[in-house]
Amino acid sequence: MSLDPPPRAVAQEHACALERLALSGEGSSVLVVAAHPDDETIGVGAMLGSLVAMGWRVHIVHVTDGAPRDPSLRPTLGRLAPSEAAAVRRSELAAALRVGGLDPDVVLLPSLGVPDQEAALAMVEVARALSQRLVTSPPSVVITHPYEGGHPDHDSVAFAVHAAARVSGVPVRIAEMSSYHAASGRQEVESASFVPGSESSCAARHDGLLDVRARRRKRAMLDAFASQVDVLASFGTLAEPLRCAPAYDFTRPPHPGTLNYERLAFGWTGDRWRELARAALKT
Ligand SMILES: [Zn+2]
């Protein structure tokens, strides 16, 4: 099932918003680097269909396979072997993209295949692979996660994209889609926003408010991830904000206080993650 394509005016507005973030002020290709199958939909699901409708070349690469090796961290797929769980995640992803008006055979690049939850252990390898991609097929803009302590894999992908841009020498704008992070002073998680106090590094910033049709499309895409329904139910469809990535110091915490992933049963701490980031920076 594919929903109606976005009206031209809406598609054009989305494409223009991304163009304003590109270094050259114009663009025609985007590479989305996401940690897990579904992060692209959470961040820019509705926008992707607009870009394709406007003739942009869209490519999406996932760093992890979406299948944590600890079965308790994939409750709906815990009975499957990791490779089987990864295949389910990939097929749900393909279904979601189709719903959003994208052809998975065209837009999806092979996953880098890092086990879910373990991207921090492979930051150097991921950065090298992404750097190679930037050299051979430089996009107008890369869209990826912010560094915000929401999930260790998200932060690791942010690290790897920044490192890849630096190492490759390819002049490319790193734009950020929203993911999720701890709400300051509260137990809740915030999405469709960025950590307060971390600012866009360019003047352009896109609040990404979605109209009714785009919201419907995004919800239908989210619903295609059947194994993640419980998790994704809490994500709204009101907006897909974008901004230029700040120049991060990955050796420092992304914000004061407890990080979102430190409150979860992942077993990751910010201290351990930053230790790995420091080691990766030395290689
Ligand atoms: Zn994710």
Side-chain angles (χ1 to χ4, degrees), residues 34-40 42 64 89 116 145 151 153-154 179-180 235:
H36 312 109
D38 70 11
D39 287 327
E40 72 302 312
I42 292 169
T64 81
R89 298 291 310 266
D116 193 312
H145 298 277
H151 191 296
D153 289 342
H154 295 183
S179 304
Y180 52 83
F235 286 90

Short mmCIF file of all heavy atoms in Angstrom, two decimals, residues 34-40 42 64 89 116 145 151 153-154 179-180 235, ligand 1:
data_model
loop_
_atom_site.label_atom_id
_atom_site.label_comp_id
_atom_site.label_asym_id
_atom_site.label_seq_id
_atom_site.Cartn_x
_atom_site.Cartn_y
_atom_site.Cartn_z
N ALA A 34 21.35 6.23 9.52
CA ALA A 34 20.52 5.95 10.69
C ALA A 34 21.09 4.77 11.46
O ALA A 34 21.70 3.87 10.88
CB ALA A 34 19.09 5.63 10.25
N ALA A 35 20.86 4.78 12.76
CA ALA A 35 21.38 3.67 13.58
C ALA A 35 20.55 2.42 13.38
O ALA A 35 21.10 1.32 13.22
CB ALA A 35 21.39 4.08 15.05
N HIS A 36 19.23 2.56 13.43
CA HIS A 36 18.33 1.39 13.41
C HIS A 36 17.28 1.55 12.33
O HIS A 36 16.87 2.66 12.02
CB HIS A 36 17.61 1.27 14.77
CG HIS A 36 18.52 1.36 15.94
ND1 HIS A 36 18.54 2.45 16.80
CD2 HIS A 36 19.48 0.50 16.39
CE1 HIS A 36 19.46 2.26 17.74
NE2 HIS A 36 20.05 1.09 17.51
N PRO A 37 16.79 0.39 11.83
CA PRO A 37 15.65 0.47 10.90
C PRO A 37 14.45 1.01 11.67
O PRO A 37 14.00 0.37 12.62
CB PRO A 37 15.41 -1.00 10.50
CG PRO A 37 16.62 -1.76 10.96
CD PRO A 37 17.20 -0.99 12.10
N ASP A 38 14.00 2.13 11.36
CA ASP A 38 12.86 2.93 11.89
C ASP A 38 13.31 4.34 12.26
O ASP A 38 12.48 5.25 12.32
CB ASP A 38 12.05 2.28 13.02
CG ASP A 38 12.75 2.16 14.37
OD1 ASP A 38 13.81 2.75 14.56
OD2 ASP A 38 12.20 1.46 15.24
N ASP A 39 14.62 4.54 12.52
CA ASP A 39 15.08 5.88 12.88
C ASP A 39 14.86 6.88 11.75
O ASP A 39 14.57 8.06 12.00
CB ASP A 39 16.57 5.86 13.24
CG ASP A 39 16.83 5.21 14.59
OD1 ASP A 39 15.98 5.33 15.49
OD2 ASP A 39 17.89 4.56 14.74
N GLU A 40 15.02 6.41 10.49
CA GLU A 40 14.79 7.32 9.35
C GLU A 40 13.34 7.77 9.31
O GLU A 40 13.04 8.91 8.96
CB GLU A 40 15.21 6.63 8.02
CG GLU A 40 14.30 5.51 7.51
CD GLU A 40 14.12 4.37 8.51
OE1 GLU A 40 15.13 3.91 9.04
OE2 GLU A 40 12.97 3.97 8.77
N ILE A 42 11.23 7.88 12.03
CA ILE A 42 11.02 8.77 13.18
C ILE A 42 11.52 10.18 12.83
O ILE A 42 10.88 11.18 13.11
CB ILE A 42 11.79 8.24 14.42
CG1 ILE A 42 11.16 6.94 14.90
CG2 ILE A 42 11.84 9.29 15.52
CD1 ILE A 42 11.99 6.19 15.95
N THR A 64 23.29 -0.37 12.17
CA THR A 64 23.08 -1.65 12.86
C THR A 64 21.98 -2.45 12.17
O THR A 64 21.24 -1.94 11.34
CB THR A 64 22.67 -1.47 14.35
OG1 THR A 64 21.28 -1.18 14.43
CG2 THR A 64 23.48 -0.37 15.02
N ARG A 89 13.27 -7.01 10.80
CA ARG A 89 13.40 -5.54 10.87
C ARG A 89 13.61 -4.95 9.47
O ARG A 89 13.06 -3.90 9.13
CB ARG A 89 14.58 -5.14 11.78
CG ARG A 89 14.49 -5.55 13.23
CD ARG A 89 13.41 -4.82 14.03
NE ARG A 89 13.41 -3.38 13.92
CZ ARG A 89 14.02 -2.53 14.75
NH1 ARG A 89 14.70 -3.00 15.77
NH2 ARG A 89 13.96 -1.22 14.58
N ASP A 116 22.88 -4.45 16.80
CA ASP A 116 22.17 -3.42 17.56
C ASP A 116 22.74 -3.36 18.97
O ASP A 116 23.04 -4.40 19.56
CB ASP A 116 20.68 -3.81 17.60
CG ASP A 116 19.77 -2.69 18.07
OD1 ASP A 116 20.08 -2.07 19.11
OD2 ASP A 116 18.75 -2.47 17.42
N HIS A 145 21.78 11.41 13.15
CA HIS A 145 21.31 11.66 14.52
C HIS A 145 22.08 12.80 15.17
O HIS A 145 23.26 12.98 14.89
CB HIS A 145 21.54 10.41 15.39
CG HIS A 145 20.79 9.19 14.94
ND1 HIS A 145 19.48 8.96 15.27
CD2 HIS A 145 21.17 8.14 14.17
CE1 HIS A 145 19.09 7.81 14.75
NE2 HIS A 145 20.09 7.29 14.06
N HIS A 151 20.30 7.14 22.76
CA HIS A 151 20.62 5.72 22.56
C HIS A 151 22.11 5.66 22.21
O HIS A 151 22.57 6.47 21.39
CB HIS A 151 19.77 5.16 21.41
CG HIS A 151 19.83 3.66 21.28
ND1 HIS A 151 20.99 2.99 20.96
CD2 HIS A 151 18.87 2.71 21.43
CE1 HIS A 151 20.74 1.69 20.92
NE2 HIS A 151 19.47 1.49 21.20
N ASP A 153 23.74 3.78 20.30
CA ASP A 153 23.97 3.60 18.86
C ASP A 153 23.76 4.93 18.10
O ASP A 153 24.49 5.22 17.14
CB ASP A 153 23.02 2.55 18.27
CG ASP A 153 23.36 1.13 18.72
OD1 ASP A 153 24.49 0.91 19.18
OD2 ASP A 153 22.48 0.25 18.61
N HIS A 154 22.78 5.72 18.52
CA HIS A 154 22.56 7.01 17.85
C HIS A 154 23.80 7.90 18.02
O HIS A 154 24.28 8.51 17.06
CB HIS A 154 21.36 7.74 18.46
CG HIS A 154 20.05 7.04 18.25
ND1 HIS A 154 18.85 7.58 18.68
CD2 HIS A 154 19.74 5.84 17.69
CE1 HIS A 154 17.86 6.74 18.36
NE2 HIS A 154 18.38 5.68 17.77
N SER A 179 15.65 12.67 17.08
CA SER A 179 15.53 11.27 17.49
C SER A 179 14.80 11.26 18.83
O SER A 179 13.61 11.52 18.86
CB SER A 179 16.91 10.63 17.58
OG SER A 179 17.59 10.77 16.34
N TYR A 180 15.51 11.03 19.93
CA TYR A 180 14.90 11.19 21.25
C TYR A 180 15.98 11.34 22.30
O TYR A 180 17.10 10.87 22.13
CB TYR A 180 13.94 10.04 21.58
CG TYR A 180 14.53 8.65 21.42
CD1 TYR A 180 15.29 8.05 22.43
CD2 TYR A 180 14.32 7.93 20.24
CE1 TYR A 180 15.81 6.78 22.27
CE2 TYR A 180 14.83 6.65 20.08
CZ TYR A 180 15.58 6.08 21.10
OH TYR A 180 16.10 4.82 20.93
N PHE A 235 5.71 7.94 19.64
CA PHE A 235 6.27 8.99 18.79
C PHE A 235 5.15 9.72 18.06
O PHE A 235 4.31 9.10 17.41
CB PHE A 235 7.26 8.43 17.78
CG PHE A 235 8.57 8.05 18.41
CD1 PHE A 235 8.77 6.78 18.92
CD2 PHE A 235 9.58 8.99 18.54
CE1 PHE A 235 9.96 6.44 19.53
CE2 PHE A 235 10.78 8.66 19.16
CZ PHE A 235 10.96 7.38 19.65
ZN ZN B 1 17.26 4.14 16.92
#
